[in-house]
Amino acid sequence: MRRVHVEDIENGMVLARPVYSSNGTRLLQEGATLKEKYIPKIKELGYNAVYIQDELLEDVEVNDLINEELKREAVEEIKDTFKKVDNKVSLENQVDDIKSVLNKIMEDVLDRKNSIVDIIDMKMYNEYLFHHSVNVAILSMIVGMSMGFNSYDLYKLGLGALLHDVGKLEISNDILNKEGKLTEEEYEQVKTHSQQGYEKLKDQEQIPSTAKIVILQHHERYNGEGYPNGKAGEDIHVFSRIVSVVDVFDALISDRPYRKGVVPSEAMEYILGGAGSLFDKRVVGHFFKKVAAFPVGSEVVLNDGRQGLVIENFESYSLRPRVRIIKEKGQDIQPYDIDLRETKYNKVTIVKVAEGEAEQSNFSQEATG
Ligand SMILES: [Fe+2]
């Protein structure tokens, strides 16, 4: 399957992933043929891209973050939770439901213990906060699992990650969705969300204290340059150090009103560049081991000019997937596969992702804010 931007979808393409409405109803099944009249509807729903079947990749499997249904369930759960928090309703009765969703995610994550994930997320633009929260929870738990955490720790980490941005409820949507660059003042306001989120939940006894610490600390940076308290190194809880990496990664790959998302490999480069300064090196190492820089379906260009599609990723080899070569010297050829882990391909690297027309702007704001 191939990721196709909404502006490029055409009549007759066949969906490789279902399309959902914002309340989680499945509107179009996997395998459905796109008709002209569906296209504006998909855009209206807020999708930035859809997944389309591709005969060149028919035999290819994707190691999704988690299954789509469970993802929807989690999105609905966090939506509900945020609504309750916003209305100052106690989470006493909600925590069990959240726990059950997190447990399902954990099972899913543990099931794929020795694999690497292909991020092929379809976030709905207007539901960014909820999708982002769920993604950050899942990815954090994957990193936590790689670091050998027990299931209770994974639960606390997952819960903190799921709620990390709850303080954004206090920030006006005009600022959160602003298309241009934030003014100094607006940015200062955004920066209050971690403290505000913590204040909102600090008295809720059913929420473990380490989960609350994640809310407070997820914008602290390893070198002490973060906020709200400028904590550094091991003074930042390890859960918060994990969430900070994952949060920045997911934010960078997402389309935002003020910029388009970058491809995972670019976001990864940014994270790797910050290892040891902005981010905990050890956490970055585990992240890099578990998340594919070039998800299955990515169109890539190799340093020898050959072009192809990524068809499989391997744990610990984030940059060296198996690639189906489809073009040489710009000409279509009979496709064949190469495995970049093999020593004979030592000198072959991926230099470009073809779909990456994304601009690199506002990176620094994400790094600190
Ligand atoms: Fe945040």
Side-chain angles (χ1 to χ4, degrees):
M1 76 183 172
R2 209 186 277 235
R3 184 189 164 95
V4 179
H5 195 269
V6 280
E7 295 303 331
D8 300 323
I9 49 181
E10 287 167 18
N11 202 8
M13 286 180 164
V14 179
L15 283 179
R17 289 285 149 114
V19 168
Y20 294 88
S21 72
S22 54
N23 63 15
T25 320
R26 200 184 269 233
L27 295 177
L28 291 170
Q29 302 287 347
E30 179 180 332
T33 305
L34 286 179
K35 299 202 175 90
E36 201 74 60
K37 60 176 180 194
Y38 299 160
I39 298 173
K41 183 85 193 146
I42 293 175
K43 290 182 196 168
E44 240 169 70
L45 283 169
Y47 278 101
N48 52 10
V50 292
Y51 284 87
I52 297 295
Q53 286 182 7
D54 186 314
E55 54 181 23
L56 277 169
L57 299 172
E58 239 166 2
D59 55 329
V60 168
E61 264 182 53
V62 178
N63 261 323
D64 240 335
L65 208 46
I66 51 166
N67 84 59
E68 198 77 29
E69 300 291 329
L70 182 50
K71 169 94 190 274
R72 289 297 337 174
E73 195 184 330
V75 167
E76 292 309 309
E77 194 58 48
I78 191 69
K79 227 195 254 183
D80 211 35
T81 305
F82 276 21
K83 208 185 281 167
K84 290 210 164 100
V85 175
D86 212 17
N87 296 327
K88 305 203 166 48
V89 177
S90 154
L91 292 183
E92 206 173 336
N93 300 318
Q94 190 83 8
V95 172
D96 280 345
D97 291 347
I98 305 177
K99 200 177 213 167
S100 119
V101 173
L102 283 172
N103 275 333
K104 285 189 216 168
I105 294 176
M106 201 175 342
E107 269 169 39
D108 212 275
V109 165
L110 290 172
D111 259 3
R112 303 165 198 218
K113 211 176 171 136
N114 299 313
S115 64
I116 182 162
V117 290
D118 297 301
I119 307 273
I120 50 154
D121 190 39
M122 295 193 286
K123 271 191 205 72
M124 284 192 208
Y125 191 65
N126 44 14
E127 303 218 299
Y128 171 75
L129 185 58
F130 309 120
H131 284 257
H132 172 67
S133 302
V134 171
N135 275 3
V136 171
I138 301 165
L139 282 170
S140 296
M141 287 164 96
I142 288 172
V143 173
M145 180 194 65
S146 175
M147 291 172 80
F149 290 0
N150 64 33
S151 55
Y152 187 47
D153 276 341
L154 288 178
Y155 162 68
K156 290 185 287 186
L157 167 64
L159 184 61
L162 204 54
L163 298 170
H164 77 279
D165 264 347
V166 68
K168 291 248 171 104
L169 294 172
E170 294 300 312
I171 315 294
S172 90
N173 275 327
D174 292 347
I175 295 182
L176 292 178
N177 297 326
K178 187 176 171 181
E179 280 182 30
K181 205 171 158 36
L182 297 181
T183 64
E184 192 69 25
E185 204 176 297
E186 288 167 334
Y187 184 47
E188 286 307 314
Q189 214 170 318
V190 170
K191 280 167 68 177
T192 63
H193 79 278
S194 33
Q195 185 77 46
Q196 294 212 67
Y198 176 75
E199 300 294 336
K200 270 176 174 306
L201 296 183
K202 71 171 198 291
D203 297 328
Q204 303 255 354
E205 279 167 17
Q206 305 78 13
I207 298 176
S209 59
T210 42
K212 296 172 187 164
I213 286 175
V214 169
I215 303 173
L216 181 66
Q217 294 184 338
H218 72 278
H219 287 284
E220 297 290 2
R221 292 295 175 254
Y222 202 67
N223 58 8
E225 287 177 4
Y227 63 83
N229 297 315
K231 281 192 181 297
E234 311 279 313
D235 282 345
I236 308 168
H237 194 279
V238 63
F239 292 177
S240 316
R241 277 180 264 144
I242 294 172
V243 172
S244 75
V245 168
V246 170
D247 177 28
V248 170
F249 178 81
D250 190 69
L252 288 175
I253 62 169
S254 306
D255 286 349
R256 305 294 298 123
Y258 43 90
R259 57 140 177 81
K260 283 195 66 172
V262 302
V263 289
S265 54
E266 266 183 67
M268 197 77 99
E269 232 177 273
Y270 178 79
I271 301 282
L272 285 171
S277 55
L278 298 172
F279 310 114
D280 179 353
K281 239 189 213 159
R282 191 166 151 251
V283 170
V284 173
H286 284 277
F287 181 76
F288 195 53
K289 179 177 150 199
K290 300 302 292 183
V291 178
F294 306 101
V296 166
S298 304
E299 296 183 38
V300 294
V301 180
L302 305 182
N303 58 346
D304 56 16
R306 287 183 286 180
Q307 283 167 259
L309 300 159
V310 172
I311 56 168
E312 190 176 4
N313 273 294
F314 309 96
E315 188 181 70
S316 304
Y317 289 92
S318 184
L319 298 171
R320 309 195 72 79
R322 195 195 302 275
V323 178
R324 181 155 299 166
I325 303 296
I326 55 171
K327 272 184 186 183
E328 282 180 3
K329 300 189 180 91
Q331 302 292 320
D332 287 340
I333 51 150
Q334 180 64 37
Y336 62 91
D337 298 348
I338 63 173
D339 184 339
L340 294 183
R341 291 175 306 168
E342 284 173 24
T343 43
K344 62 177 170 178
Y345 297 119
N346 257 348
K347 292 198 174 98
V348 181
T349 55
I350 295 173
V351 289
K352 208 168 106 191
V353 181
E355 67 163 332
E357 1 67 54
E359 312 143 40
Q360 283 200 29
S361 63
N362 259 323
F363 261 45
S364 56
Q365 200 161 72
E366 232 103 28
T368 51

